[in-house]
Amino acid sequence: QVQLVESGGGLVQPGGSLRLSCAASGFTFTSDAMSWARQAPGKGLEWVSSIDSPGFQTLYADSVKGRFTISRDNRKKTLNLQLTNLSPEDTAVYYCVKGGQKYYNRGPRGQGTQVTVSS
């Protein structure tokens, strides 16, 4: 079955950076677009970014454009998200999701990794 395991979250100061990773298994990773979504405390799931199956085309939510970078390594079956210039508003649980943007809230996802931005 589909397994997605996120890692790399943590506590970081405003302006700091983190790199999230997602290890995928149980499906043909090279055939699927992938996405990141996040859920802040007390809020709904929010789409963050998506990448097509070969890794050539990327999409970003306006709130993270220019600060976050999505990438994938199809040989290693991993999905990555580089987070830079973080602000407290980025505090959330970040999820790796199988599927493109339109699947961010209904595709299989991992257990999430917590990102907390605080001084």
Side-chain angles (χ1 to χ4, degrees):
Q1 71 275 23
V2 174
Q3 285 197 325
L4 299 165
V5 179
E6 301 94 338
S7 61
L11 173 63
V12 62
Q13 292 187 341
S17 300
L18 282 174
R19 183 176 176 84
L20 308 182
S21 292
C22 171
S25 62
F27 65 102
T28 305
F29 185 72
T30 53
S31 296
D32 283 280
M34 296 291 295
S35 299
W36 286 96
R38 66 185 181 184
Q39 187 163 24
K43 296 188 177 181
L45 193 65
E46 175 191 19
W47 172 73
V48 174
S49 181
S50 298
I51 188 168
D52 67 353
S53 55
F56 296 152
Q57 294 187 336
T58 57
L59 295 171
Y60 297 95
D62 287 345
S63 58
V64 307
K65 197 174 295 182
R67 300 187 299 120
F68 292 7
T69 303
I70 191 172
S71 63
R72 64 191 295 163
D73 185 328
N74 282 348
R75 287 182 302 172
K76 296 182 179 178
K77 299 181 182 180
T78 58
L79 178 71
N80 305 299
L81 188 68
Q82 180 71 41
L83 290 65
T84 64
N85 194 21
L86 285 161
S87 71
E89 290 70 34
D90 296 314
T91 294
V93 177
Y94 284 72
Y95 296 95
C96 168
V97 185
K98 178 179 177 292
Q101 181 182 12
K102 65 179 180 180
Y103 295 101
Y104 83 93
N105 60 349
R106 50 195 171 106
R109 62 179 186 246
Q111 83 291 346
T113 186
Q114 176 71 49
V115 172
T116 302
V117 185
S118 175
S119 55

